[in-house]
């Protein structure tokens, strides 16, 4: 291991741990700079919360993703809805939701980020997805969902 320490302010500047090959920049570092130019925002938190995986950046951007399995109850071109709780509170409700049907997705003829009446229903903690199921037998459908927005 190797590192740099600011003795005057009693804080770590940089450290490298040979055990896990991890390079860390002081506590609370939010970017890496070279000659005064920020090279990139840093991922400050990543992991899982419930069924969600997520990644948060130092500039406040966040993305999270998951797969959800549902059984439609409204068949033959009926509209079904899924209420989704986010893994944590977002900074605002103007985030982007991408929905991709996967397993049995060929029975879906429309997916939207809205409720059954077509109204976008975002809050900072949840949203609603609706889809049309166009078959007479209910099969489990998987949706891959990605949400991107702001955590701060």
């Amino acid at each position: 291991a190797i590192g740099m320490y600011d003795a005057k302010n009693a804080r770590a500047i940089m450290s490298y741990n040979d055990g896990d090959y991890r390079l860390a920049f002081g506590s609370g570092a939010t970017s890496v700079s070279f000659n005064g130019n920020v090279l990139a925002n840093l991922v400050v938190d990543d992991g899982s919360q419930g069924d969600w995986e997520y990644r948060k950046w130092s500039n406040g951007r966040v993305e999270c993703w998951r797969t959800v399995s549902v059984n439609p109850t409204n068949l033959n071109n009926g509209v079904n809805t899924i209420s989704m709780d986010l893994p944590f509170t977002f900074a605002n409700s103007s985030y982007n939701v991408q929905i991709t049907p996967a397993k049995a997705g060929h029975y879906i003829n429309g997916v939207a980020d809205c409720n059954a009446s077509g109204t976008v229903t975002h809050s900072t903690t949840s949203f609603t997805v609706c889809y049309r199921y166009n078959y007479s037998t209910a099969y489990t459908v998987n949706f891959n969902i990605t949400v991107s927005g702001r955590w701060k």
Side-chain angles (χ1 to χ4, degrees):
I2 189 171
M4 286 190 262
Y5 184 77
D6 178 354
K8 180 180 178 188
N9 296 305
R11 64 179 174 206
I13 297 171
M14 183 199 70
S15 63
Y16 172 74
N17 184 331
D18 195 39
D20 62 4
Y21 308 105
R22 184 175 296 230
L23 180 64
F25 292 91
S27 60
T30 60
S31 64
V32 176
S33 297
F34 180 73
N35 287 336
N37 298 308
V38 175
L39 297 177
N41 286 298
L42 300 177
V43 172
V44 294
D45 189 15
D46 70 322
S48 61
Q49 179 73 25
D51 292 330
W52 290 95
E53 299 286 327
Y54 67 88
R55 188 173 298 128
K56 294 179 180 180
W57 279 267
S58 57
N59 68 354
R61 184 172 179 262
V62 63
E63 66 180 15
C64 51
W65 59 94
R66 71 172 288 188
T67 299
V68 62
S69 298
V70 295
N71 293 309
T73 55
N74 296 318
L75 309 177
N76 297 318
N77 211 27
V79 176
N80 296 269
T81 59
I82 310 166
S83 295
M84 301 289 302
D85 290 328
L86 292 165
F88 40 79
T89 301
F90 275 48
N92 57 53
S93 60
S94 60
Y95 46 83
N96 181 44
V97 178
Q98 293 179 310
I99 309 139
T100 307
K103 177 184 169 193
H106 56 285
Y107 294 127
I108 305 298
N109 68 0
V111 178
D113 172 23
C114 61
N115 63 19
S117 64
T119 304
V120 175
T121 55
H122 287 188
S123 76
T124 58
T125 59
S126 66
F127 62 94
T128 303
V129 170
C130 70
Y131 64 97
R132 284 194 183 271
Y133 187 81
N134 63 4
Y135 197 65
S136 59
T137 303
Y139 291 106
T140 300
V141 180
N142 290 349
F143 292 99
N144 297 320
I145 299 175
T146 302
V147 180
S148 58
R150 312 273 319 156
W151 66 275
K152 69 175 186 174

